[in-house]
Amino acid sequence: MTGVRVTHIGGPTALIEIDGLRLLTDPTFDPPGRRYAFGWGTSSRKTAGPAFPAAELPPVDAVLLTHDHHGDNLDDAGRALLPGVRTVLTTPAGARRLGGNAHGLAPWDTWKLSSPDGTTVEVTATPARHGPPLSRPVVGEVTGFALSWPGQSHGVLWISGDTVLFDGVREVGRRLTVGTALLHLGGVGFPITGPLRYTMTAAGAVEVCRLLRPRTVVPVHYEGWSHFREARTAAERTLSEAPAEVRDVFRWLPRGTATELSV
């Protein structure tokens, strides 16, 4: 069985090591304190930095970038490291903006990544919607990613990206067997848009677990910014009321520590 290690560095940023292949999700390495504008009158202040700086990363083979146009998913320090990796996979719109080594994947497009030692991972872009219905023209394109490789025991490793529960996520459940899910939580909201949420809440995550039945759920992107409306403690209260078969699959990783996962 292929060995997999996941290091949650902070926010949406995780280092995924699959044998000899190192993949980095949504690189965010700026220090805390700055406020970032997201457009349409929305903004957020970064309240926590990464577990370690970008300079301490091992060599990275590819970046899986769910979207490039929000500072909590790609900040200045994260953007600076993109040219140093062989491949950046992102949305078609993001690839046009980034150029260079960036490749855009529409939903259900695939791309093969390989390391010198022969490790090969197939990446499939999965649907994501960063907010309520009809919000895409405002919030822009986002994507998730499903990772598959020979020797997986329980199904694909799915990275949800910044999404709410919608038909595209249900389609993931119909088309793929998900063994491990890196779920972007946090219930993002802004004063200007009131009760609307732009990422998944814990209640949404419970429903996703019922639909996809993953063996392991690793929450990411739920703290460290002022626009999150549901931090870990609030999410855990919701999860404590879920059935055991849902509640027990959640695994909160310590930041900055490589954790072995059975995938």
Side-chain angles (χ1 to χ4, degrees):
M1 182 176 65
T2 303
V4 178
R5 298 198 309 171
V6 176
T7 305
H8 184 202
I9 298 170
T13 309
L15 180 66
I16 302 171
E17 299 175 89
I18 305 166
D19 281 350
L21 196 66
R22 293 190 184 100
L23 312 177
L24 186 69
T25 66
D26 287 359
T28 54
F29 289 93
D30 285 356
R34 175 179 162 191
R35 180 168 289 276
Y36 296 72
F38 295 153
W40 298 85
T42 62
S43 67
S44 182
R45 186 172 62 85
K46 188 172 187 178
T47 59
F52 52 80
E56 294 182 12
L57 281 171
V60 171
D61 297 291
V63 167
L64 305 178
L65 180 59
T66 66
H67 57 300
D68 69 303
H69 52 282
H70 291 154
D72 61 326
N73 294 84
L74 181 67
D75 57 19
D76 291 345
R79 193 176 295 268
L81 66 81
L82 296 184
V85 301
R86 291 194 312 236
T87 306
V88 177
L89 299 181
T90 189
T91 64
R96 289 192 294 270
R97 285 188 290 264
L98 293 171
N101 56 354
H103 303 274
L105 301 180
W108 305 113
D109 284 350
T110 62
W111 190 279
K112 279 191 167 57
L113 297 171
S114 298
S115 67
D117 74 348
T119 303
T120 299
V121 173
E122 183 172 82
V123 180
T124 301
T126 59
R129 193 185 74 201
H130 200 350
L134 307 179
S135 63
R136 188 169 281 118
V138 176
V139 299
E141 280 186 349
V142 295
T143 189
F145 299 101
L147 311 183
S148 60
W149 59 87
Q152 282 179 318
S153 301
H154 309 295
V156 302
L157 193 163
W158 178 54
I159 303 158
S160 71
D162 280 6
T163 189
V164 295
L165 177 59
F166 77 117
D167 285 344
V169 172
R170 296 183 181 95
E171 187 181 5
V172 171
R174 291 192 296 268
R175 295 179 63 155
L176 301 174
T177 298
V178 175
T180 299
L182 267 64
L183 280 189
H184 291 215
L185 298 183
V188 162
F190 301 96
I192 196 171
T193 54
L196 297 179
R197 293 293 174 260
Y198 292 85
T199 60
M200 207 175 296
T201 61
V206 169
E207 184 61 22
V208 165
C209 287
R210 290 189 175 119
L211 291 168
L212 275 61
R213 299 187 179 276
R215 188 173 184 270
T216 304
V217 172
V218 175
V220 297
H221 210 24
Y222 51 85
E223 290 178 323
W225 291 81
S226 62
H227 63 322
F228 287 125
R229 295 293 178 264
E230 188 180 63
R232 175 176 173 173
T233 52
E236 287 183 314
R237 283 196 296 270
T238 297
L239 294 172
S240 69
E241 299 174 358
E245 62 268 22
V246 171
R247 181 178 66 247
D248 292 347
V249 304
F250 280 78
R251 188 168 179 184
W252 303 82
L253 300 188
R255 291 196 326 133
T257 301
T259 303
E260 296 280 346
L261 297 180
S262 176
V263 178

